Amino acid sequence: MASYQPVTAVLRGLDVLAATSRLGGRATLAEIHRLTGLDKSTILRMLETLEHAGFVVRNDERRSYQVTGKTLQLSAGYDRHQAVGTIVAPALTAFRTAVGWPSDVALFDHDSMLVVETSREPGPMFLNRRPGYRAPVLGTSLGLAYVAHCSEGERGAVLSTAAADPAPWNDLARDRDAAERMFETIRHQGYATMSPGYGRQEYDGLIGSLGVPIMRDGRIYAAINTLFLLNALTVERAVATLLVPLQLTATRLAADLARHAAD
């Protein structure tokens, strides 16, 4: 039990910093408001404070903000994602070479799926997704695949956290019966798909994805997805052509991660 109530101003500042990082060069006041739901005057105060502290810089020409290299100090003590990224990178490259579509591997990290490696390349499919991106758990095929296969206790904690977040894809966490039915479907069919609402917000409804767990002997390590253009493949066609290669890659990665965990 925490000794004190959370400091609201600090939480808001962190939300603004996270949104600015996520948006890259598109971090305008309006876009940060869209992601955080905070009042614009509050966002502006937080941005000016972060700018004073050296964590963000303002681009006057674009009227936008961008994080600075100082933000890297905030993650200097955390390197698990880098180690996992190094392990999975060759398999992601091989998968993209074989099927022609990119993929990401992500670890569950408190309230998000932390992307540790990606085979996306610069261009229309890249869309600012680099290692370190935090994807919403219930909005993405990565997160849904992970939560469907994690332990019941962990799943309950994930849903409790998500239920407090007003993002529309988290409506699932506020209806536990519906959530369990969806997770059972994911386990039965062997894959998860992106939340339609998240797909519309992040990709204008142009991108589809399939996600599967990376697990071995009942232990889940991470999740992997593949992304595809919906004007090139329907979800049904993607399942028919991409699911088996994706699952085989997940099996290979689970073995690699299990071996390194035992070292």
Side-chain angles (χ1 to χ4, degrees), residues 189-234:
Q189 66 191 13
Y191 66 90
T193 57
M194 186 189 307
S195 159
Y198 182 75
R200 287 191 296 271
Q201 175 176 299
E202 294 297 308
Y203 302 110
D204 293 328
L206 301 176
I207 303 292
S209 70
L210 304 179
V212 302
I214 297 174
M215 60 189 306
R216 182 182 177 91
D217 298 330
R219 176 180 176 182
I220 185 163
Y221 294 92
I224 181 173
N225 69 7
T226 186
L227 300 107
F228 50 91
L229 290 168
L230 288 169
N231 64 3
L233 290 177
T234 63

Side-chain angles (χ1 to χ4, degrees), residues 10-194:
V10 174
L11 295 176
R12 289 173 176 170
L14 291 171
D15 284 343
V16 170
L17 182 60
T20 305
S21 177
R22 176 178 173 184
L23 288 164
R26 299 183 296 115
T28 63
L29 196 63
E31 284 297 298
I32 296 172
H33 168 70
R34 180 180 65 84
L35 284 185
T36 64
L38 294 173
D39 180 84
K40 289 184 180 180
S41 62
T42 298
I43 294 170
L44 185 58
R45 289 198 304 273
M46 296 299 143
L47 286 170
E48 290 179 350
T49 301
L50 290 166
E51 185 176 15
H52 176 77
F55 289 107
V56 304
V57 62
R58 177 182 167 87
N59 185 319
D60 289 323
E61 182 178 339
R62 296 182 179 179
R63 302 182 68 181
S64 64
Y65 293 82
Q66 193 161 3
V67 297
T68 69
K70 190 174 181 179
T71 58
L72 296 174
Q73 297 175 9
L74 301 176
S75 61
Y78 184 71
D79 61 3
R80 176 172 173 249
H81 66 290
Q82 295 176 348
V84 174
T86 299
I87 294 168
V88 304
L92 291 193
T93 299
F95 178 82
R96 176 152 193 169
T97 299
V99 306
W101 296 105
S103 55
D104 308 312
V105 167
L107 302 172
F108 176 71
D109 183 46
H110 180 57
D111 61 356
S112 304
M113 296 302 294
L114 176 65
V115 175
V116 298
E117 189 56 75
T118 180
S119 62
R120 305 191 200 196
E121 296 174 352
M125 289 287 285
F126 186 65
L127 297 172
N128 297 317
R129 296 299 186 267
R130 296 180 292 271
Y133 175 74
R134 299 182 69 85
V137 178
L138 299 184
T140 59
S141 61
L142 286 167
L144 290 167
Y146 180 92
V147 177
H149 292 86
C150 68
S151 70
E152 184 177 349
E154 184 177 12
R155 185 159 55 253
V158 170
L159 292 175
S160 293
T161 299
D165 186 322
W169 43 85
N170 288 329
D171 288 346
L172 184 67
R174 294 181 274 273
D175 186 341
R176 295 299 179 92
D177 290 339
E180 288 304 324
R181 288 194 297 271
M182 173 177 279
F183 297 142
E184 178 59 33
T185 297
I186 291 170
R187 290 189 291 267
H188 176 74
Q189 66 191 13
Y191 66 90
T193 57
M194 186 189 307

